[in-house]
């Protein structure tokens, strides 16, 4: 059971707040934390990577890692190795690895040199040998500078080749990666993630690395049938599957507590039925991270109760024990 904290939308959680969060999560029973860092970490050979963005130093990562370890919580690096990199790609220093929009230039050797440096930085900074390599929402893959340099190539072909190159680098550093699964869906269903019918060719399935864990993310669906259908399709793609739900804090100043809890119960039921062993609760900070990180504690407590006991009867009492806060007061924030 893990939490992913968004550190890339103008709110890089500081070390004191991180340690406070660790203590709450340890009491709730969480086993991992991912810090979503698109560019907010230090890479010695790339001074413009995370420049003026509040990036973590290797020493800070090490301190946070050691503190989380005291509570048997694994600090798992969470990076981007394809898209969502607009903050570095607007610098001229990265022009040679820029395809279009926020997407890196696949099949370019300088891109893989940069990605190698990403893995190297994380390898030095954090003990965990699990890593989230991102790869989501690269909708315009191969349609910018890629066209000029390499000509037209099928997007799925580019995606698979890039994924396997990144996996080669990951293995070099002893990593067992996970990645968001949506691009494989979108590339075979006209860009639709939740398509009714998804047929993935056997030749494509053979090219998806066996040692990558696919992360099925769904923060929206209110119908259990959608989760069930998506779980079944994912299992055809990979035997390594985990689920990512959402603690809604990305819609303005206030958290979406009630919606988060509603979809959590539906998603959890499907996860149990399909034998999912690992859950990640995402705390995104879209559009500037206006909403306070600690406002979503009730949702994190609910997921812990669901995963450990599947019983909400003691939710308020446990919330007080784990946070020293009033459950009803926190719920009123939403």
């Amino acid at each position: 059971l893990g939490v992913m904290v968004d550190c890339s939308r103008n709110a890089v959680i500081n070390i004191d707040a991180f340690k406070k969060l660790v203590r709450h999560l340890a009491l709730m029973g969480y086993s991992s934390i991912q810090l979503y860092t698109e560019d907010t970490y230090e890479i010695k050979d790339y001074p413009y990577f995370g420049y003026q963005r509040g990036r973590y130093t290797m020493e800070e990562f090490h301190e946070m890692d050691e503190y989380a370890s005291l509570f048997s919580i694994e600090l798992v690096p969470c990076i981007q190795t394809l898209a969502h990199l607009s903050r570095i790609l607007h610098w001229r220093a990265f022009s040679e690895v820029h395809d279009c929009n926020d997407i890196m230039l696949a099949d370019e050797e300088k891109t893989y040199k940069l990605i190698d440096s990403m893995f190297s930085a994380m390898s030095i900074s954090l003990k965990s040998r699990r890593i989230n390599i991102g790869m989501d929402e690269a909708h315009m893959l191969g349609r910018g500078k890629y066209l000029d340099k390499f000509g037209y190539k099928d997007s799925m072909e580019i995606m698979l080749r890039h994924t396997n190159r990144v996996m080669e680098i990951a293995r070099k550093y002893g990593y067992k990666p996970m990645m968001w699964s949506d691009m494989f869906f979108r590339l075979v269903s006209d860009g639709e993630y939740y398509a009714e019918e998804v047929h993935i060719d056997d030749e494509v399935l053979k090219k998806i690395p066996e040692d990558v864990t696919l992360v099925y993310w769904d923060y929206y669906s209110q119908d259990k049938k959608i989760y069930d259908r998506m779980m079944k399709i994912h299992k055809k793609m990979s035997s390594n599957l985990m689920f990512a739900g959402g603690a809604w804090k990305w819609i303005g100043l206030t958290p979406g507590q009630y919606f988060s809890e509603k979809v959590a119960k539906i998603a959890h039921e499907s996860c149990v039925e399909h034998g999912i062993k690992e859950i990640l609760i995402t705390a995104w900070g879209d559009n500037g991270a206006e909403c306070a990180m600690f406002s979503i504690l009730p949702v994190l407590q609910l997921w812990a109760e669901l995963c450990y006991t599947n019983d909400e009867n003691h939710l308020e009492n446990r919330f007080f024990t784990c946070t020293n806060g009033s459950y009803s007061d926190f719920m009123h924030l939403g």
Side-chain angles (χ1 to χ4, degrees), residues 69-304:
S69 294
L70 294 175
F71 300 87
S72 297
I73 289 179
E74 181 183 11
L75 182 51
V76 179
C78 183
I79 63 175
Q80 285 288 3
T81 56
L82 181 57
H84 284 293
L85 288 165
S86 60
R87 293 301 89 207
I88 68 164
L89 294 176
H90 81 289
W91 292 113
R92 191 178 300 172
F94 293 101
S95 61
E96 293 180 313
V97 299
H98 188 190
D99 183 3
C100 64
N101 297 352
D102 62 354
I103 304 170
M104 287 201 293
L105 183 58
D107 295 337
E108 164 59 55
E109 287 307 311
K110 289 178 181 176
T111 296
Y112 300 106
K113 181 176 182 292
L114 171 58
I115 292 172
D116 189 290
S117 295
M118 294 177 182
F119 280 103
S120 176
M122 288 300 178
S123 176
I124 295 168
S125 304
L126 301 173
K127 294 190 294 291
S128 175
R129 281 303 173 265
R130 295 196 303 159
I131 190 169
N132 189 330
I133 59 174
M135 298 251 196
D136 57 316
E137 299 180 322
H139 305 303
M140 296 290 288
L141 176 64
R143 297 177 188 175
K145 189 186 293 183
Y146 190 98
L147 275 174
D148 298 332
K149 185 160 186 173
F150 301 109
Y152 175 78
K153 298 284 193 304
D154 178 75
S155 294
M156 179 61 89
E157 176 190 330
I158 301 172
M159 181 71 192
L160 288 168
R161 190 162 54 245
H162 181 76
T163 300
N164 279 283
R165 281 295 301 272
V166 173
M167 289 295 295
E168 285 176 17
I169 298 169
R171 293 183 195 111
K172 184 175 85 170
Y173 290 96
Y175 278 117
K176 294 181 179 179
M178 63 190 79
M179 63 177 282
W180 311 111
S181 66
D182 58 288
M183 282 302 294
F184 291 127
F185 278 78
R186 296 181 197 278
L187 290 172
V188 295
S189 59
D190 298 321
E192 177 59 47
Y193 187 29
Y194 301 101
E196 290 284 341
E197 296 293 331
V198 176
H199 174 70
I200 302 178
D201 189 87
D202 286 342
E203 289 304 309
V204 170
L205 292 176
K206 290 176 184 176
K207 294 177 182 177
I208 297 175
E210 292 183 0
D211 54 342
V212 68
T213 296
L214 294 183
V215 184
Y216 160 38
W217 57 265
D218 194 333
Y219 324 130
Y220 311 96
S221 299
Q222 301 179 60
D223 184 347
K224 183 173 172 292
K225 292 178 183 176
I226 295 175
Y227 295 100
D228 291 339
R229 184 178 73 244
M230 292 291 282
M231 297 278 187
K232 289 175 182 175
I233 298 171
H234 272 85
K235 284 188 170 182
K236 291 179 182 177
M237 296 167 64
S238 175
S239 58
N240 303 317
L241 178 61
M242 61 185 287
F243 176 77
W248 280 67
K249 59 176 288 294
W250 57 87
I251 49 173
L253 292 168
T254 56
Q257 314 278 41
Y258 292 97
F259 185 77
S260 298
E261 294 203 345
K262 177 181 180 181
V263 295
K265 295 172 189 176
I266 302 169
H268 174 261
E269 186 180 349
S270 182
C271 286
V272 170
E273 289 182 12
H274 292 275
I276 302 301
K277 300 298 185 185
E278 187 167 7
I279 303 289
L280 179 69
I281 312 305
T282 60
W284 296 107
D286 301 20
N287 309 316
E290 306 99 325
C291 186
M293 176 66 218
F294 291 93
S295 67
I296 58 166
L297 288 174
V299 183
L300 303 183
Q301 186 75 58
L302 173 68
W303 271 103

